[in-house]
Amino acid sequence: QVQLVESGGGSVQTGGSLNLSCAASGFPYSEYCVAWFRQAPGTEREAVALINSGRSTTYYTDSVKGRFTISQDSAKEAVHLRMNMLQPEDTAMYYCAARAAYCATIYKPPATIFSYWGQGTQVAVSS
């Protein structure tokens, strides 16, 4: 059974940093894509970053480019999202998602292509 567990959320002030982690277990696939999504109240869930396992190709939505960095640890057991220069508009619930195939990296992926989801971790940025 595939499980994704997020951690690392919290409350910071504008300009602060957080490091989110997504720990995966029971994931038998050698080619897969892991993404971080976020959803603020009253908005749709949007992808902010993704990484393709093995290839390490990545995608970032425009609003986080230069501030967020997605990475995978060498054991491929966790995917991290380093978030720097956080802004109030980054406030949201952040979710880790995975699919058993690579993702395209030239456009924002829809949530519907991901089969596995974590429970989410809250990020709050105050001004």
Side-chain angles (χ1 to χ4, degrees):
Q1 182 178 356
V2 175
Q3 276 195 314
L4 302 175
V5 179
E6 303 97 334
S7 62
S11 298
V12 296
Q13 293 187 323
T14 298
S17 298
L18 286 172
N19 191 39
L20 306 184
S21 293
C22 173
S25 61
F27 208 73
Y29 311 106
S30 59
E31 297 181 353
Y32 56 90
C33 165
V34 178
W36 283 97
F37 281 76
R38 66 185 179 188
Q39 187 170 23
T43 68
E44 290 188 0
R45 194 171 294 192
E46 68 158 348
V48 295
L50 70 83
I51 187 166
N52 285 312
S53 177
R55 294 181 174 178
S56 295
T57 49
T58 58
Y59 162 88
Y60 297 94
T61 194
D62 286 347
S63 62
V64 307
K65 283 181 181 177
R67 301 189 298 124
F68 291 11
T69 303
I70 191 169
S71 62
Q72 186 172 32
D73 65 23
S74 58
K76 297 183 181 179
E77 294 177 345
V79 171
H80 309 285
L81 186 69
R82 176 67 179 178
M83 305 187 296
N84 294 326
M85 296 183 287
L86 283 162
Q87 303 296 316
E89 52 265 35
D90 296 315
T91 295
M93 184 70 81
Y94 283 70
Y95 298 90
C96 175
R99 69 187 296 242
Y102 288 139
C103 293
T105 57
I106 58 174
Y107 57 83
K108 184 180 295 187
T112 52
I113 68 170
F114 292 88
S115 302
Y116 307 102
W117 291 86
Q119 294 300 305
T121 185
Q122 181 69 43
V123 171
V125 185
S126 59
S127 57

